[in-house]
Amino acid sequence: MLEKLVIPKNTKFDERSIVIEGDALIGANSRLGYGVIARKVIVGDRTEIRGDILGREEVRLGAWCTVKGNVISKGNAYVGEFTSIEGRLTVYGDLEIGRNVKIKNGFEAKGLITIQDPMPIVMFIFLYILAMLKLGRYEEIEELFEPEDFLSPLEIPENSEVSLDYIKTGKDVIIEGSRVLGNLRCRDAKILESELYGSVKGRDVVLEKSRVHGVIEGRNVYLVKGSVVLGKITADNVYMEEGCVVEGSIVGRKGVWIKPHVEIPSSEEDRE
């Protein structure tokens, strides 16, 4: 999981928060210049969130995280050790909290509060697995490691940055059915039925039924199904379907092709 940066349908970027209909999965060592509003908010270790977090069902913060605003969970919450919250923590369900957590404006939990030491948890799981193996109850061990199901998640890989100015990642990016702010810097990009206010720089860039308010730089650029670029395109190869619009200049170092239909390769090897 988190092999790509994925912005799912109906995600909204405003000046302060990213609003997601489903869940938000944020990888370790990432930086968000926004708050996050989602069904479940799962944050990896050593990540910085420069805004409020609202989980409609659950919030989980890894160790050594920094949240520059308030954290609100309408359900349960887990806060990892050495995490810092510069606002207030409000939990409507149960709260499980690690050691040396700093909460500047205090906290309120309406359910059970548990202070966890990570090492006993690891030892408990290890002893539990040993006991199940001895009893031959392999199905219960498999259930323990079954991946959790998430609802149309926002996925931000580790070591990524998402802010008002930039969306930066070393992974591929997929944006679908959303309105996004920020200059996109990534490996390959697919922008599907979306509007991006910013430039795009990557290797292979695909626009389908989308509008980009900025310049595009890449190796191969594909514009299909009435896409619009309000800026310049610079690439090795530019492929455009009839009906697409580019309001700036087009520089194709190896060529520019305008066709009734453009076939988008399904894999990177096909684009070489």
Side-chain angles (χ1 to χ4, degrees):
M1 190 168 262
L2 303 184
E3 290 301 314
K4 296 179 179 180
L5 194 155
V6 179
I7 299 176
K9 286 183 179 180
N10 302 319
T11 299
K12 298 177 182 177
F13 282 58
D14 60 32
E15 292 184 0
R16 296 185 178 182
S17 298
I18 305 174
V19 183
I20 306 111
E21 289 186 349
D23 301 324
L25 309 177
I26 303 165
N29 299 301
S30 294
R31 295 178 57 199
L32 265 69
Y34 298 92
V36 180
I37 300 173
R39 189 182 73 113
K40 293 182 179 180
V41 181
I42 316 296
V43 181
D45 296 345
R46 299 180 185 275
T47 290
E48 180 180 89
I49 310 290
R50 301 188 66 86
D52 297 337
I53 294 176
L54 170 59
R56 295 188 293 271
E57 290 189 9
E58 185 179 13
V59 173
R60 289 184 238 162
L61 303 177
W64 298 94
C65 289
T66 301
V67 180
K68 298 290 186 178
N70 301 309
V71 176
I72 301 171
S73 175
K74 298 292 187 179
N76 298 332
Y78 170 82
V79 181
E81 61 180 354
F82 296 100
T83 285
S84 174
I85 299 172
E86 297 190 6
R88 181 173 178 82
L89 171 64
T90 304
V91 181
Y92 288 81
D94 297 337
L95 170 63
E96 187 175 330
I97 193 166
R99 300 171 301 166
N100 299 304
V101 171
K102 295 180 181 179
I103 305 171
K104 186 174 181 180
N105 293 333
F107 72 93
E108 177 185 3
K110 297 187 177 181
L112 181 66
I113 300 175
T114 305
I115 299 176
Q116 282 287 5
D117 188 349
M119 186 54 67
I121 294 175
V122 173
M123 290 302 298
F124 173 78
I125 293 173
F126 177 70
L127 293 172
Y128 175 81
I129 292 172
L130 284 179
M132 292 301 103
L133 286 171
K134 288 179 181 179
L135 295 172
R137 294 160 69 173
Y138 303 110
E139 292 182 359
E140 293 190 23
I141 297 174
E142 290 178 359
E143 290 175 2
L144 185 65
F145 292 99
E146 281 184 358
E148 185 174 354
D149 290 330
F150 294 103
L151 177 63
S152 301
L154 168 75
E155 301 179 34
I156 299 177
E158 62 181 12
N159 301 309
S160 299
E161 176 184 347
V162 179
S163 67
L164 188 62
D165 296 323
Y166 284 100
I167 300 172
K168 294 181 181 179
T169 182
K171 307 285 188 178
D172 296 346
V173 169
I174 299 175
I175 300 173
E176 186 174 4
S178 297
R179 177 180 175 273
V180 178
L181 308 177
N183 298 297
L184 180 59
R185 303 290 182 267
C186 62
R187 193 163 57 183
D188 296 336
K190 284 187 177 180
I191 303 173
L192 312 173
E193 299 183 40
S194 298
E195 189 159 16
L196 173 68
Y197 292 85
S199 61
V200 180
K201 187 173 183 180
R203 297 186 312 182
D204 295 348
V205 179
V206 175
L207 267 65
E208 181 178 312
K209 292 184 180 179
S210 295
R211 180 183 292 260
V212 171
H213 299 258
V215 302
I216 296 178
E217 297 180 46
R219 181 176 62 182
N220 300 310
V221 174
Y222 301 83
L223 272 63
V224 299
K225 297 183 180 179
S227 292
V228 176
V229 178
L230 303 176
K232 177 181 177 181
I233 295 178
T234 303
D236 291 342
N237 303 290
V238 179
Y239 303 90
M240 289 179 57
E241 282 186 352
E242 294 175 359
C244 293
V245 176
V246 178
E247 292 204 348
S249 60
I250 302 175
V251 177
R253 289 180 286 266
K254 295 182 179 178
V256 177
W257 290 266
I258 302 175
K259 304 178 180 180
H261 175 70
V262 170
E263 190 71 30
I264 299 173
S266 58
S267 65
E268 180 183 344
E269 288 75 14
D270 295 334
R271 297 180 199 143
E272 296 292 346

